[in-house]
Amino acid sequence: MTGETDNALYQRQGFGRELGIVGQVGLLIVDFVNGFADPAAFGGGNIPQAIAQTGPLLATARRLGWPVAHTRIVFADDGSDANVFSAKVPSMLGLTETNPASAIVPELAPVAGEYVVRKTVPSAFSGTPLASWYAHRGVQTLVVAGCVTSGCVRASVIDAMSLSFRPIVVSDCVGDRAIGPHEANLFDMAQKCGDVMAYETLLSRLSNQ
């Protein structure tokens, strides 16, 4: 198999099959908060562009009546809920309820009826009622935006797939502080746990439903 490309290798081994759009669609926006929009805090890379592109995606979700959830990392003011994640990245403990860095960016601010998940680990689903919230609303296909691609987005997508949702990662609506991990994780998620496509491709697929 000398010279075989990565895509060819994965395809030969049976990876990368598309899941498609099935049933009710929901939207998950992961950690697009002020701290991750700020390169001086937790941001950088292509996160600002991903936030800008998520505006039209969120507008589409609202127009189509999708269930929409947003996530924030929120630790207790006294650090009493510190965990292994914060031991690995101690600065995360500063993301408390009233810290503006933990607030969702104004351009993507939730409206009435949209669920805001507070979490202290990378996955939006671990230790939260989010899976039940989507299931109650009949969601089968979960469109995912947010940051960072290699961290909380990936963790949430893996858990979504493990919980029997069909993830669609919108490639230009997710961002990372470093482009190498962003691109590598998009490739890997496309092979193993969800579909990956640009926003315009998603719109085209929706119009052909």
Side-chain angles (χ1 to χ4, degrees), residues 20-26 66 138-141 166 209:
I21 300 171
V22 175
Q24 174 66 53
V25 180
W66 296 353
V139 171
Q140 293 177 264
T141 299
R166 293 169 177 257
Q209 284 285 97

Side-chain angles (χ1 to χ4, degrees), residues 86-192:
S86 63
K88 185 69 176 177
V89 190
S91 51
M92 289 288 173
L93 285 173
L95 294 174
T96 58
E97 181 65 40
T98 58
N99 185 343
S102 178
I104 294 168
V105 294
E107 56 266 48
L108 301 176
V111 299
E114 295 178 357
Y115 183 30
V116 178
V117 178
R118 290 160 173 82
K119 63 187 181 72
T120 60
V121 293
S123 173
F125 294 95
S126 181
T128 77
L130 183 59
S132 296
W133 188 85
Y134 281 128
H136 181 67
R137 288 154 181 79
V139 171
Q140 293 177 264
T141 299
L142 189 61
V143 173
V144 181
C147 66
V148 297
T149 314
S150 60
C152 295
V153 169
R154 179 187 175 88
S156 299
V157 167
I158 290 174
D159 278 358
M161 179 269 293
S162 300
L163 291 162
S164 297
F165 298 104
R166 293 169 177 257
I168 297 177
V169 181
V170 187
S171 56
D172 45 352
C173 294
V174 294
D176 209 315
R177 63 182 62 88
I179 302 305
H182 168 75
E183 293 178 345
N185 280 274
L186 285 179
F187 175 84
D188 201 58
M189 286 188 287
Q191 301 304 320
K192 299 174 183 174

Side-chain angles (χ1 to χ4, degrees), residues 27-93:
L27 175 63
L28 173 61
I29 301 177
V30 178
D31 294 353
F32 271 156
V33 299
N34 293 323
F36 283 93
D38 182 0
F42 298 105
N46 63 341
I47 294 174
Q49 295 92 327
I51 290 173
Q53 183 71 327
T54 301
L57 173 62
L58 179 56
T60 295
R62 288 169 175 168
R63 175 174 56 83
L64 296 176
W66 296 353
V68 175
H70 308 251
T71 73
R72 303 168 55 198
I73 296 173
V74 179
F75 281 95
D77 290 346
D78 62 358
S80 56
D81 52 357
N83 56 23
V84 177
F85 184 36
S86 63
K88 185 69 176 177
V89 190
S91 51
M92 289 288 173
L93 285 173

